[in-house]
């Protein structure tokens, strides 16, 4: 049975880092992890319901999303675990179900996994937004509201990634995929997407309840000090 990162990938969950070199499987009778094979990593069977996914012409057994996310979060850094858990929650998997899958077993990695689960939020709309939210957290900034809705005087509607109401500041994650991936452009050219984004940003900036709007790119997120400085320049306090 496929498990851990391999199960997540088969479920269509994206990882923050590269996919593991080995395929991860779980075996009912195994009592310890076996990494002797360069291609296969075998684990004891973790808790969690079994499911099947389509792989070519056949159905293959995989650990369910809750169990796979819980097992993988135990061995992942906090950032990686949040990225996975955000997606799993967005799929509609109950938080309590993931927590129940975390409960059995050793304490190794459990504290970090529980912290990541507490922080995870189904409203994050992409891997980039999930990572941006963690980086904002690492700066020591106040916790922002996610997907806050603004409306323009002429009826336009916009959901912004991060809203700091006390500082009246909007922060948006500006991922390149919205310009490069035809599936996200709804038939528009990259130039049309850029123009629409500029128009949207202009009317949000003009709202009386918005004092500042800042954009963060994937390159920006590589530096917590840079993000902290960007927030402070916009009026958002940080402790970093």
């Amino acid at each position: 049975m496929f498990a851990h990162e391999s199960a997540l990938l088969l479920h269509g969950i994206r990882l923050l880092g590269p996919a593991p070199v080995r395929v991860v499987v779980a075996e009912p009778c195994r009592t310890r992890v076996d990494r002797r094979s360069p291609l296969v990593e075998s684990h004891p069977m973790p808790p969690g319901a079994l499911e099947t996914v389509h792989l070519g012409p056949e159905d293959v057994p995989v650990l369910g999303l809750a169990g796979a996310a819980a097992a993988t979060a135990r061995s992942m850094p906090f950032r990686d675990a949040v990225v996975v858990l955000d997606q799993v929650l967005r799929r509609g998997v109950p938080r309590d179900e993931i927590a129940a899958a975390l409960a059995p077993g050793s304490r190794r990695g459990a504290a970090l996994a529980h912290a990541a689960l507490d922080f995870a939020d189904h409203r994050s709309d992409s891997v980039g937004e999930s990572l941006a939210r963690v980086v904002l957290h690492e700066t020591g900034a106040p916790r922002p509201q996610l997907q806050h809705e603004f409306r323009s005087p002429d009826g336009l509607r916009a959901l912004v990634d991060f809203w700091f109401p006390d500082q009246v500041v909007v922060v948006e994650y500006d991922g390149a995929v919205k310009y490069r991936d035809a599936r996200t452009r709804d038939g528009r050219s990259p130039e049309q997407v850029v123009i629409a984004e500029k128009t949207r940003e202009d009317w949000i900036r003009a709202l009386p309840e918005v004092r500042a709007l800042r954009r963060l790119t994937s390159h920006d997120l590589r530096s917590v000090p840079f993000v902290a400085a960007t927030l402070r320049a916009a009026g958002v306090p940080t402790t970093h």
Side-chain angles (χ1 to χ4, degrees), residues 150-153 156-161 170-175 178-179 188 192-208 210-217:
F150 289 102
R151 290 186 180 271
S152 71
L156 295 176
R157 174 178 175 269
L159 295 175
V160 299
D161 298 334
V170 170
V171 175
E172 294 270 72
Y173 170 70
D174 196 13
K178 71 176 72 171
Y179 309 110
R188 298 173 297 174
Q192 289 173 317
V193 175
V194 170
I195 293 170
E197 284 288 304
K198 179 64 167 58
T199 301
R200 174 182 178 274
E201 181 174 318
D202 285 345
W203 72 254
I204 292 175
R205 288 181 185 274
L207 293 173
V210 175
R211 187 172 63 83
L213 186 151
R214 296 290 185 271
R215 287 187 173 273
L216 296 173
T217 68

Side-chain angles (χ1 to χ4, degrees), residues 31-192:
T31 58
R32 64 182 64 184
V33 179
D34 184 355
R35 296 187 176 91
R36 289 174 294 179
S37 168
L39 299 178
V40 179
E41 181 174 305
S42 299
H43 286 248
M45 184 73 74
L50 303 184
E51 299 179 9
T52 59
V53 298
H54 296 291
L55 187 63
E58 299 182 1
D59 290 339
V60 296
V62 299
L63 188 62
L65 268 176
T72 308
R74 285 178 173 271
S75 60
M76 281 183 161
F78 183 81
R79 289 184 174 193
D80 299 65
V82 169
V83 164
V84 165
L85 292 166
D86 279 359
Q87 294 175 77
V88 173
L89 291 175
R90 194 160 61 246
R91 292 280 189 90
V93 177
R95 191 182 302 268
D96 290 348
E97 187 176 332
I98 304 172
L102 274 173
S106 71
R107 295 182 179 179
R108 183 182 179 186
L112 186 146
H114 277 290
L117 181 58
D118 289 342
F119 187 81
D121 196 306
H122 71 280
R123 292 172 295 177
S124 279
D125 200 36
S126 67
V127 169
E129 282 186 31
S130 296
L131 176 59
R133 198 171 90 258
V134 176
V135 174
L136 293 175
H137 172 70
E138 291 172 351
T139 69
R143 195 159 184 169
Q145 296 179 13
L146 308 187
Q147 305 301 327
H148 181 77
E149 181 179 283
F150 289 102
R151 290 186 180 271
S152 71
D154 55 353
L156 295 176
R157 174 178 175 269
L159 295 175
V160 299
D161 298 334
F162 308 108
W163 166 239
F164 295 90
D166 292 341
Q167 294 78 33
V168 289
V169 171
V170 170
V171 175
E172 294 270 72
Y173 170 70
D174 196 13
V177 67
K178 71 176 72 171
Y179 309 110
R180 295 176 178 171
D181 191 338
R183 293 171 298 179
T184 67
R185 298 201 308 262
D186 296 326
R188 298 173 297 174
S189 68
E191 292 80 6
Q192 289 173 317

